[in-house]
Structure formats: C-alpha cells, structure tokens
Amino acid sequence: MIEAIARRMSTEREALNRLDAALGDGDHGTNVAAGFSAAAADIGGLENPSASDLWLAMAKAVMNRMGGASGAIFGTFFLKGVAVLRGKDRLNKRDMEAVLEAGLQGVKARGKAEVGDKTMVDALAPAVTAFSRAGGFTEGWSSAAEAARKGAACTQDLIARHGRAKYLGERAIGHIDPGACTIAFLFEATDAWWREAQPIHKR
Ligand code: ADP
Ligand code: MG
C-alpha cells in the first residue's frame, strides 16, 4: 500500500509542484514524493515488522525526509496511528477507522486547521468520515477517495487561513490546495491497490 502511494506521489510530483507554485513556494510535489519514497524504502528494510512498527517507520521517514509544512503534518498523521496499532497483528475495518480518526485529530491539533481553511484537512476530514460510514474496506477506500477528491476540488473556492497561501488573501481563490490534492491521490492510490490486492485478502 505504501509503495503504491509512493509511486502515485512520484507520478504527481510536477502537478503538485505546479499547484503549490500558485499558492506557495512550488515544492509540495517534491516534498511528498521524497517523503513517501523514503518511507517505502525504509519499510522495505524492516524485518518482520508489526503494524505499529510500519506506521512508526512511516512517521519517522515522513518527518525527517518530506520537509515543508506537510512533513510535520503528515508525520503527525502517521505518528498518531502508532498507538492505535500497538499490539495488533491483524487489522479489521474498525481498527483502520480508529487509525484514520486518530491521524485526522492529530493533524487538526498540530496545524490548527478546520474544514474550510483551505488545507489538506478539507480532503482528509470528509475522507475519514466516508471511510468510517462504509460497510467494509472495499467500499471504504473507494468512498474515501471520492470524498477526498470532492473536498480537494472545493478548496478552489476558499481563501486560506494557514500556510503560505494565507498571505495571498483573496488571490488564493481559483486555486486548488496542493495538500488537499495529495490526500485525494493518497486515497485513490490506496483504493486502487486494495482492489488489486483483494483476492489475496479474501483467501
Ligand atoms: P510548505 O508550505 O512549507 O512549502 P508544502 O508545500 O509541502 O509545505 O505543503 C503545503 C501544504 O501543507 C498546503 O497545501 C496545505 O494543505 C498544508 N498545510 C499547510 N499548513 C497547514 C496547517 N496548518 N494545517 C494543515 N495543513 C496545512
Ligand atoms: Mg510548499
């Protein structure tokens, strides 16, 4: 799953940089592509990791190698999931809901952003709600991806209350928030990965 996300972020690097060039400093795609590649590489090197080991490695890689505001914020997202996963060697949907919910709360606490502030929270919050409402993983990942896409699209009409885009005031209107777009790509990649992997999970 993490490898699938890392590949998608590499594919979207320039598109995300362009979005960030309009609202910030143009490095968001470079940041997230580097952070998720580092995470995928680190995880590949772990021997028999538990779920919480994986999530901790993610958090560390993202915090240390993503850079930007997004490094701190994504790092918090994964770090908050570590405690939820501790002691579990299999994850059911409820567990994943708890991981995502803890991550969302961590992001909101860390960045002080609410829905409507034109940040990644605009995509992450509806995605987490959609995942939790769904009946299972398959429906969960696909409805999370759809909700994140819609949430990201809605950021176009907003002025920003956090991050570099805040300094643009009304000039931020008309541009999609890059971090929200990254969240949409993240859930889309997870959804696609899940649908491919599903026959294995059903065994
Ligand atoms: P930087 O702004 O330091 O260059 P990035 O370009 O990697 O970092 O990330 C920018 C993204 O970070 C924004 O598009 C936004 O989604 C997200 N972001 C910025 N500040 C906050 C915040 N306070 N809370 C949540 N997300 C934020
Ligand atoms: Mg930037």
Side-chain angles (χ1 to χ4, degrees):
M1 179 181 121
I2 299 303
E3 279 167 5
I5 292 171
R7 279 195 298 275
R8 181 72 192 268
M9 295 309 164
S10 295
T11 307
E12 306 291 353
R13 183 192 292 119
E14 295 313 316
L16 289 169
N17 278 344
R18 277 195 294 276
L19 290 179
D20 194 34
L23 289 173
D25 56 356
D27 64 355
H28 184 68
T30 302
N31 291 343
V32 293
F36 281 103
S37 309
D42 287 359
I43 283 169
L46 296 177
E47 238 173 82
N48 274 332
S50 67
S52 65
D53 293 340
L54 282 175
W55 231 244
L56 183 60
M58 282 293 303
K60 283 185 181 165
V62 162
M63 273 183 184
N64 296 331
R65 321 250 277 287
M66 188 175 283
S70 45
I73 291 162
F74 272 109
T76 302
F77 177 80
F78 288 106
L79 200 57
K80 292 294 174 185
V82 175
V84 179
L85 291 172
R86 196 150 282 143
K88 294 187 197 292
D89 54 7
R90 293 177 73 84
L91 304 187
N92 61 28
K93 176 157 180 298
R94 275 282 157 81
D95 297 324
M96 203 65 215
E97 288 170 20
V99 167
L100 295 177
E101 188 58 45
L104 170 64
Q105 294 314 325
V107 166
K108 288 169 84 173
R110 177 81 204 239
K112 310 269 185 291
E114 292 293 332
V115 168
D117 289 352
K118 200 180 182 100
T119 70
M120 64 171 81
V121 172
D122 289 317
L124 185 58
V128 171
T129 302
F131 182 87
S132 296
R133 281 191 186 149
F137 275 107
T138 306
E139 188 199 339
W141 292 129
S142 74
S143 50
E146 195 188 340
R149 254 193 314 271
K150 279 189 190 152
C154 288
T155 62
Q156 184 156 7
D157 305 324
L158 301 170
I159 59 160
R161 293 204 179 83
H162 299 278
R164 296 177 196 275
K166 188 172 132 183
Y167 304 108
L168 292 179
E170 301 230 319
R171 281 178 294 144
I173 294 172
H175 301 285
I176 291 176
D177 178 68
C181 219
T182 292
I183 297 289
F185 294 149
L186 188 153
F187 282 103
E188 280 179 4
T190 303
D191 177 40
W193 166 82
W194 174 265
R195 277 183 283 112
E196 248 173 57
Q198 215 205 359
I200 301 165
H201 288 268
K202 276 194 168 165
R203 268 181 224 153

